[in-house]
Amino acid sequence: MVPDTPSLDDAVALATRAHTGQLDKIGEEYIGHPLRVMRVVAAIADGAGVDHEYAQMAAVLHDVVEDSAITLDDLVALGYPPAVVAAVDALSHRPGEPVEDYLARVAADDLAVAVKRADMADNGDPTRLIRLPAERADRYRQRYADRMRLLDDLVAARRAAGKAAGAGEAAAAADADAHRKPAEEAGEVSGTEGVGGTEGVGGGDAQRAGGRAAARGSGPPVASTP
């Protein structure tokens, strides 16, 4: 039986259970962090072009796989939407994973990008960092500022690659169309007499197939962000 899709309240309850007993860097209950991230994401979701409820679910659950015994398979079994599970997967930092690789994975998922920006904004919130020793606060402030810039660069590179790929596909389609029209006209002319017409049409088909093969081979490949 396919489980019902959990509600946002269900996601909040799951995150609360998962983070029970955990404390944040200033000694407060950890669940406060994902709840704050969820509220920020609720305010920016529309501007970020992501689903409002999915963004809040991913936000409140963004640390459950990384920081508790809950797994991605558990989220799937509970019926969380694939987009939410994928975002939580992208947001879960693997042990020993370089920050660049981690943020590249985040940058490939729009939902994860919205959550990660809210996450880093909360982690670098001056009103909270001021409660830490100055040296430690400065270290956190610099860390999250650097990571925010890196994420922004990765997202910009991904979008630029997408635009370049789209332009390449459009050029390939135009080239194929330019080759197809003369072939079709030649097929129509040679197709005026009996069997010769069959050959003429066949020639047009061959040209069309060639044009389509050229279209598939032309232009730069779509970039895949790791």
Side-chain angles (χ1 to χ4, degrees), residues 118-210:
D119 172 45
M120 290 192 289
D122 186 67
N123 281 327
D125 181 358
T127 64
R128 292 176 57 75
L129 292 181
I130 200 171
R131 298 167 64 182
L132 294 172
E135 183 178 347
R136 190 177 174 198
D138 287 342
R139 187 169 66 250
Y140 280 127
R141 189 179 299 109
Q142 188 63 52
R143 172 191 298 178
Y144 294 116
D146 290 346
R147 292 184 182 183
M148 187 74 83
R149 281 192 294 270
L150 176 57
L151 179 60
D152 288 344
D153 289 346
L154 290 166
V155 170
R158 170 199 164 199
R159 290 174 178 168
K163 288 180 181 178
E169 291 170 0
D175 183 63
D177 189 56
H179 284 80
R180 183 171 63 248
K181 288 179 179 177
E184 290 174 345
E185 291 169 0
E188 290 171 0
V189 171
S190 60
T192 56
E193 295 291 337
V195 175
T198 301
E199 293 173 352
V201 173
D205 287 342
Q207 289 287 345
R208 284 193 289 275

Side-chain angles (χ1 to χ4, degrees), residues 73-133:
D73 287 341
D74 290 334
L75 298 181
V76 172
L78 288 168
Y80 283 92
V84 172
V85 177
V88 173
D89 182 23
L91 291 158
S92 299
H93 200 165
R94 280 60 161 163
E97 182 179 35
V99 171
E100 292 79 2
D101 293 348
Y102 166 56
L103 291 180
R105 185 174 62 253
V106 171
D109 185 304
D110 289 338
L111 205 56
V113 169
V115 173
K116 192 60 186 176
R117 283 178 171 152
D119 172 45
M120 290 192 289
D122 186 67
N123 281 327
D125 181 358
T127 64
R128 292 176 57 75
L129 292 181
I130 200 171
R131 298 167 64 182
L132 294 172

Side-chain angles (χ1 to χ4, degrees), residues 15-72:
T16 300
R17 292 194 300 273
H19 294 302
T20 296
Q22 298 177 358
L23 301 178
D24 66 16
K25 55 182 170 285
I26 63 174
E28 295 181 344
E29 290 188 9
Y30 191 82
I31 188 59
H33 168 64
L35 289 175
R36 289 191 300 273
V37 173
M38 182 185 74
R39 287 192 289 270
V40 171
V41 165
I44 68 172
D46 292 341
V50 295
D51 184 271
H52 194 264
E53 184 166 3
Y54 285 5
Q56 291 181 87
M57 282 187 176
V60 79
L61 295 172
H62 79 273
D63 276 337
V64 298
V65 170
E66 185 176 332
D67 293 337
S68 81
I70 293 172
T71 67
L72 294 171

